[in-house]
Amino acid sequence: MTTAAAIERDAHMDAHMDGAVLRVVVVNGSPSRPSKTMGLVDVVLDTLEKMLPIETSRIDVYGLGPGFTGATERDGVPPEIEAALRLAEEADFLIAAAPVFRGSYPGMFKHFFDLIDQYALANKPVLLAATGGGDHHALVLEHAMRPLFGFFQALTVPVAVFASAGDFDGTMLLNPRVYGRIQTGLTDVADLLRSRATGVRTTPGGG
């Protein structure tokens, strides 16, 4: 996959709301396409877009190429990798999503955040999402992912979301309890997210 293909953008606009748009960036730590991880994230995005206008970008870390995998520090990374890093740093709302490998997040997922500026995510709302083979893998959210973003002083959403393999049909999330947890987690922070929206909504027929 080329680096350009590793960053995807989409827009979801609520026809009943005007004004600012929440710029949402998904950092996808799954090496698979399609994946259960992104199946879970799609439900998060579908739920969120019913609450407020959003513009979505996705960074597939496994698609960023050798300029990313070979980078040991931020200085000197190729322009396309710098652009991906800045996209995450400048998001209004970050969704950090990863499958569980060996009891933790994948190395490529961690490598992406190793290159993020230490203070770029301070006070930024971050939703943690993970998938795994069984419910025991849900501990990754509190024992691995939340401490990672605690280092960055990010505002992690109190309700994190996890789905196990049995919650899916292929990559489609079926478990209503997970849907309910997503709804609860986003409802709790909807006002905060609305206040953080910095994107500008384009009017119909506009440029």
Side-chain angles (χ1 to χ4, degrees):
M1 182 188 302
T2 64
T3 300
I7 302 175
E8 298 184 2
R9 291 182 173 85
D10 194 8
H12 305 269
M13 301 300 181
D14 186 335
H16 302 291
M17 296 187 67
D18 295 317
V21 173
L22 187 77
R23 299 178 304 161
V24 182
V25 175
V26 177
V27 178
N28 171 31
S30 175
S32 303
R33 292 194 67 174
S35 69
K36 291 179 174 63
T37 300
M38 279 309 303
L40 177 61
V41 170
D42 286 343
V43 176
V44 173
L45 294 173
D46 288 345
T47 304
L48 184 59
E49 73 168 313
K50 293 179 174 66
M51 299 179 178
L52 67 162
I54 65 173
E55 180 182 88
T56 306
S57 302
R58 187 177 91 214
I59 301 166
D60 294 316
V61 298
Y62 277 87
L64 290 176
F68 166 68
T69 57
T72 56
E73 56 186 20
R74 181 73 170 260
D75 292 343
V77 298
E80 64 272 17
I81 305 305
E82 177 67 23
L85 295 167
R86 285 191 176 274
L87 184 65
E89 291 173 345
E90 295 171 2
D92 298 327
F93 181 40
L94 196 66
I95 299 175
V100 180
F101 288 163
R102 307 297 188 191
S104 188
Y105 39 67
M108 287 295 183
F109 178 83
K110 175 61 161 58
H111 184 55
F112 183 84
F113 289 100
D114 285 342
L115 298 175
I116 291 287
D117 183 85
Q118 180 177 348
Y119 302 106
L121 305 184
N123 297 316
K124 187 183 300 296
V126 179
L127 176 72
L128 308 178
T131 56
D135 290 342
H136 59 289
H137 288 302
L139 292 172
V140 73
L141 292 166
E142 303 303 327
H143 292 273
M145 294 181 75
R146 204 177 295 275
L148 172 62
F149 290 95
F151 166 80
F152 286 107
Q153 302 175 59
L155 293 176
T156 53
V157 174
V159 176
V161 293
F162 175 85
S164 64
D167 295 327
F168 293 88
D169 179 5
T171 61
M172 181 178 295
L173 181 66
L174 298 179
N175 191 330
R177 287 178 296 177
V178 181
Y179 275 82
R181 187 168 179 83
I182 291 169
Q183 181 72 47
T184 297
L186 292 176
T187 298
D188 286 347
V189 296
D191 288 343
L192 170 65
L193 296 181
R194 191 172 288 107
S195 72
R196 296 298 184 94
T198 62
V200 178
R201 180 176 181 179
T202 57
T203 58

